[in-house]
Amino acid sequence: MQDFWDKRYKQEQYAYGETPNEYLKSKLAGLPKGKVLFPLEGEGRNAVFAAKTGWQVSAFDQSKEGKKKAELLAQKNGVHIDYAVSDMENVSYPENSFDVLVLVYAHFPLIERKRYHQKLVSLLKKGGILIIEGFSKGHIEKQKVNPNVGGPKDETMLYDLEELKNDFQGFDFMESYETDIELQEGICHVGTASVVRIYGIRN
Protein backbone atom coordinates (compact mmCIF):
# COMPACT_ATOMS: atom_id res chain seq x y z
CA MET A 1 0.00 0.00 0.00
CA GLN A 2 2.93 2.36 0.49
CA ASP A 3 3.54 2.36 -3.28
CA PHE A 4 -0.14 3.15 -3.90
CA TRP A 5 -0.08 6.17 -1.60
CA ASP A 6 3.31 7.39 -2.80
CA LYS A 7 2.00 7.37 -6.37
CA ARG A 8 -1.17 9.25 -5.38
CA TYR A 9 0.66 11.85 -3.34
CA LYS A 10 3.48 12.37 -5.84
CA GLN A 11 1.12 14.36 -8.08
CA GLU A 12 1.43 18.14 -7.81
CA GLN A 13 -2.24 18.57 -6.96
CA TYR A 14 -3.37 17.73 -3.43
CA ALA A 15 -5.49 14.58 -3.75
CA TYR A 16 -7.86 15.57 -0.93
CA GLY A 17 -7.39 19.32 -1.16
CA GLU A 18 -5.64 21.77 1.14
CA THR A 19 -8.55 22.61 3.42
CA PRO A 20 -9.51 20.62 6.52
CA ASN A 21 -12.25 18.07 6.94
CA GLU A 22 -15.41 19.90 8.01
CA TYR A 23 -16.31 17.59 10.90
CA LEU A 24 -12.80 17.87 12.33
CA LYS A 25 -12.88 21.64 11.92
CA SER A 26 -16.15 21.95 13.81
CA LYS A 27 -15.06 19.69 16.68
CA LEU A 28 -11.61 21.18 17.24
CA ALA A 29 -13.06 24.69 17.39
CA GLY A 30 -14.40 24.44 20.94
CA LEU A 31 -11.51 22.58 22.55
CA PRO A 32 -8.67 24.01 24.66
CA LYS A 33 -5.42 23.84 22.68
CA GLY A 34 -3.02 21.01 23.43
CA LYS A 35 -1.28 18.07 21.73
CA VAL A 36 -3.07 16.36 18.85
CA LEU A 37 -2.16 13.24 16.86
CA PHE A 38 -3.13 12.60 13.22
CA PRO A 39 -2.50 8.99 12.15
CA LEU A 40 -2.49 8.25 8.40
CA GLU A 41 -2.36 11.98 7.72
CA GLY A 42 -1.40 11.86 4.06
CA GLU A 43 -0.75 15.30 2.58
CA GLY A 44 -1.33 17.15 5.84
CA ARG A 45 -4.43 19.25 5.31
CA ASN A 46 -5.92 18.50 8.73
CA ALA A 47 -2.63 18.67 10.63
CA VAL A 48 -1.76 22.03 9.07
CA PHE A 49 -5.18 23.40 9.95
CA ALA A 50 -4.74 22.34 13.58
CA ALA A 51 -1.28 23.92 13.73
CA LYS A 52 -2.66 27.17 12.28
CA THR A 53 -5.23 27.31 15.07
CA GLY A 54 -2.69 26.84 17.85
CA TRP A 55 -2.38 23.10 18.38
CA GLN A 56 0.88 21.22 18.93
CA VAL A 57 0.65 18.72 16.07
CA SER A 58 2.11 15.27 15.53
CA ALA A 59 1.24 13.20 12.46
CA PHE A 60 2.39 10.08 10.68
CA ASP A 61 1.83 8.18 7.46
CA GLN A 62 3.62 5.39 5.62
CA SER A 63 4.04 7.59 2.52
CA LYS A 64 7.24 9.60 2.10
CA GLU A 65 5.52 11.56 -0.65
CA GLY A 66 2.70 12.39 1.74
CA LYS A 67 5.21 13.82 4.21
CA LYS A 68 6.80 15.98 1.50
CA LYS A 69 3.43 17.42 0.54
CA ALA A 70 2.45 17.96 4.18
CA GLU A 71 5.65 19.82 4.95
CA LEU A 72 5.22 21.97 1.85
CA LEU A 73 1.69 22.82 2.96
CA ALA A 74 2.91 23.63 6.46
CA GLN A 75 5.61 25.90 5.05
CA LYS A 76 3.07 27.63 2.81
CA ASN A 77 0.91 28.31 5.88
CA GLY A 78 3.79 29.37 8.13
CA VAL A 79 3.40 26.57 10.68
CA HIS A 80 5.32 23.53 11.93
CA ILE A 81 4.06 19.97 12.20
CA ASP A 82 5.99 17.01 13.59
CA TYR A 83 5.48 14.46 10.80
CA ALA A 84 6.93 10.94 10.92
CA VAL A 85 7.07 8.37 8.12
CA SER A 86 5.87 5.14 9.74
CA ASP A 87 3.34 2.36 9.45
CA MET A 88 1.14 1.36 12.37
CA GLU A 89 3.38 -1.51 13.43
CA ASN A 90 6.39 0.70 14.01
CA VAL A 91 4.93 4.00 15.10
CA SER A 92 6.15 5.00 18.55
CA TYR A 93 4.89 7.79 20.81
CA PRO A 94 4.73 7.88 24.61
CA GLU A 95 1.55 6.46 26.08
CA ASN A 96 -1.02 8.92 27.48
CA SER A 97 0.68 11.83 25.73
CA PHE A 98 -1.99 13.37 23.48
CA ASP A 99 -5.03 15.47 24.29
CA VAL A 100 -6.81 14.65 21.03
CA LEU A 101 -6.69 11.70 18.60
CA VAL A 102 -8.04 12.34 15.10
CA LEU A 103 -8.92 9.60 12.61
CA VAL A 104 -10.19 11.15 9.38
CA TYR A 105 -10.66 8.48 6.69
CA ALA A 106 -8.05 6.34 8.43
CA HIS A 107 -9.18 2.86 7.39
CA PHE A 108 -7.30 -0.26 8.46
CA PRO A 109 -7.41 -3.88 7.24
CA LEU A 110 -10.08 -5.81 9.15
CA ILE A 111 -7.60 -8.32 10.59
CA GLU A 112 -5.58 -5.54 12.26
CA ARG A 113 -8.22 -2.87 12.84
CA LYS A 114 -9.12 -3.39 16.50
CA ARG A 115 -5.49 -3.90 17.56
CA TYR A 116 -4.42 -0.75 15.75
CA HIS A 117 -7.26 1.26 17.25
CA GLN A 118 -6.37 0.07 20.74
CA LYS A 119 -2.73 0.95 20.17
CA LEU A 120 -3.76 4.47 19.20
CA VAL A 121 -6.04 4.77 22.24
CA SER A 122 -3.06 4.03 24.49
CA LEU A 123 -1.45 7.24 23.23
CA LEU A 124 -4.43 9.34 24.32
CA LYS A 125 -4.62 10.84 27.80
CA LYS A 126 -7.47 9.98 30.16
CA GLY A 127 -10.06 12.64 29.47
CA GLY A 128 -8.68 13.02 25.96
CA ILE A 129 -10.88 13.52 22.92
CA LEU A 130 -11.44 11.10 20.03
CA ILE A 131 -12.64 12.49 16.68
CA ILE A 132 -13.50 10.10 13.83
CA GLU A 133 -14.97 10.49 10.38
CA GLY A 134 -14.78 7.51 8.07
CA PHE A 135 -16.72 5.69 5.38
CA SER A 136 -19.53 3.43 6.52
CA LYS A 137 -20.49 -0.01 5.20
CA GLY A 138 -23.27 1.72 3.28
CA HIS A 139 -20.69 3.70 1.34
CA ILE A 140 -20.15 0.78 -1.02
CA GLU A 141 -23.46 1.73 -2.69
CA LYS A 142 -22.32 5.34 -3.10
CA GLN A 143 -19.14 4.14 -4.81
CA LYS A 144 -21.19 2.17 -7.34
CA VAL A 145 -23.07 5.34 -8.29
CA ASN A 146 -20.01 7.61 -8.23
CA PRO A 147 -16.47 6.18 -8.15
CA ASN A 148 -15.08 9.71 -7.66
CA VAL A 149 -16.42 9.80 -4.10
CA GLY A 150 -13.43 7.68 -3.01
CA GLY A 151 -12.99 5.31 -0.11
CA PRO A 152 -11.63 1.77 0.26
CA LYS A 153 -12.73 -0.69 -2.41
CA ASP A 154 -12.46 -3.50 0.15
CA GLU A 155 -15.82 -3.56 1.93
CA THR A 156 -14.27 -5.14 5.04
CA MET A 157 -12.31 -1.90 5.58
CA LEU A 158 -15.49 0.18 5.73
CA TYR A 159 -16.97 0.94 9.14
CA ASP A 160 -19.92 -0.50 10.98
CA LEU A 161 -20.76 2.03 13.69
CA GLU A 162 -21.31 -0.49 16.50
CA GLU A 163 -18.16 -2.44 15.63
CA LEU A 164 -16.22 0.81 15.60
CA LYS A 165 -17.57 1.84 19.00
CA ASN A 166 -16.61 -1.59 20.30
CA ASP A 167 -13.01 -0.96 19.17
CA PHE A 168 -12.98 2.12 21.39
CA GLN A 169 -14.25 0.73 24.66
CA GLY A 170 -13.68 3.00 27.63
CA PHE A 171 -15.05 6.12 25.93
CA ASP A 172 -18.09 8.23 26.61
CA PHE A 173 -19.54 8.85 23.16
CA MET A 174 -20.95 12.36 22.98
CA GLU A 175 -21.74 11.77 19.30
CA SER A 176 -21.84 8.53 17.29
CA TYR A 177 -23.92 8.33 14.15
CA GLU A 178 -24.07 7.41 10.47
CA THR A 179 -25.08 9.97 7.87
CA ASP A 180 -24.86 10.94 4.22
CA ILE A 181 -22.77 14.02 3.44
CA GLU A 182 -21.58 15.88 0.36
CA LEU A 183 -17.81 15.68 0.05
CA GLN A 184 -15.76 18.32 -1.76
CA GLU A 185 -12.24 17.35 -0.71
CA GLY A 186 -9.76 17.73 -3.56
CA ILE A 187 -10.19 15.43 -6.56
CA CYS A 188 -10.47 12.10 -4.70
CA HIS A 189 -13.41 12.79 -2.34
CA VAL A 190 -16.17 14.30 -4.50
CA GLY A 191 -19.89 13.56 -4.17
CA THR A 192 -22.37 11.95 -1.81
CA ALA A 193 -20.73 9.75 0.81
CA SER A 194 -22.02 7.57 3.63
CA VAL A 195 -19.94 8.18 6.74
CA VAL A 196 -19.77 7.42 10.43
CA ARG A 197 -18.84 10.14 12.91
CA ILE A 198 -17.68 9.73 16.47
CA TYR A 199 -16.84 12.30 19.13
CA GLY A 200 -15.83 10.69 22.41
CA ILE A 201 -14.02 11.28 25.69
CA ARG A 202 -11.66 8.67 27.10
CA ASN A 203 -12.58 7.51 30.60
Side-chain angles (χ1 to χ4, degrees):
M1 287 303 292
Q2 181 181 340
D3 290 342
F4 171 87
W5 292 112
D6 278 343
K7 183 177 180 181
R8 173 162 291 186
Y9 296 149
K10 198 165 188 175
Q11 308 304 314
E12 183 177 352
Q13 192 168 4
Y14 279 73
Y16 303 102
E18 298 181 28
T19 56
N21 173 267
E22 288 297 324
Y23 187 64
L24 165 71
K25 185 177 177 180
S26 69
K27 292 304 167 189
L28 275 188
L31 296 176
K33 305 300 187 290
K35 296 178 66 177
V36 57
L37 177 64
F38 291 89
L40 280 60
E41 175 53 6
E43 298 166 305
R45 64 192 176 102
N46 296 311
V48 168
F49 167 76
K52 283 176 67 177
T53 53
W55 290 84
Q56 184 179 340
V57 175
S58 295
F60 70 90
D61 196 284
Q62 62 184 320
S63 171
K64 294 178 182 177
E65 298 298 332
K67 178 180 180 178
K68 289 178 187 175
K69 296 279 280 294
E71 290 180 337
L72 282 172
L73 189 61
Q75 184 179 24
K76 177 180 176 180
N77 284 274
V79 296
H80 170 75
I81 57 175
D82 177 24
Y83 194 119
V85 175
S86 178
D87 57 20
M88 273 299 302
E89 292 294 339
N90 296 298
V91 71
S92 179
Y93 296 101
E95 291 190 356
N96 306 304
S97 59
F98 291 98
D99 301 290
V100 179
L101 170 64
V102 177
L103 294 165
V104 172
Y105 301 111
H107 291 264
F108 297 113
L110 177 62
I111 194 169
E112 306 289 2
R113 189 197 70 217
K114 186 167 186 176
R115 180 169 67 88
Y116 285 168
H117 283 162
Q118 290 175 341
K119 180 176 181 179
L120 291 170
V121 166
S122 74
L123 308 179
L124 187 64
K125 295 176 182 176
K126 298 294 176 69
I129 300 294
L130 171 68
I131 300 170
I132 298 176
E133 181 173 288
F135 294 113
S136 76
K137 293 289 188 187
H139 185 68
I140 202 80
E141 298 303 319
K142 310 296 186 187
Q143 290 175 319
K144 291 175 183 176
V145 175
N146 173 25
N148 293 328
V149 74
K153 301 297 189 291
D154 180 353
E155 190 173 357
T156 68
M157 293 179 68
L158 299 173
Y159 288 141
D160 174 88
L161 184 58
E162 293 307 313
E163 287 178 357
L164 192 59
K165 288 167 68 176
N166 188 58
D167 287 358
F168 292 95
Q169 293 179 14
F171 281 80
D172 288 330
F173 295 110
M174 314 307 289
E175 290 183 358
S176 59
Y177 62 94
E178 183 175 333
T179 189
D180 285 359
I181 63 170
E182 290 299 316
L183 282 176
Q184 293 292 332
E185 298 183 334
I187 57 173
C188 292
H189 279 173
V190 180
T192 304
S194 177
V195 301
V196 293
R197 288 172 164 174
I198 286 178
Y199 181 80
I201 302 172
R202 187 182 182 195
N203 295 327

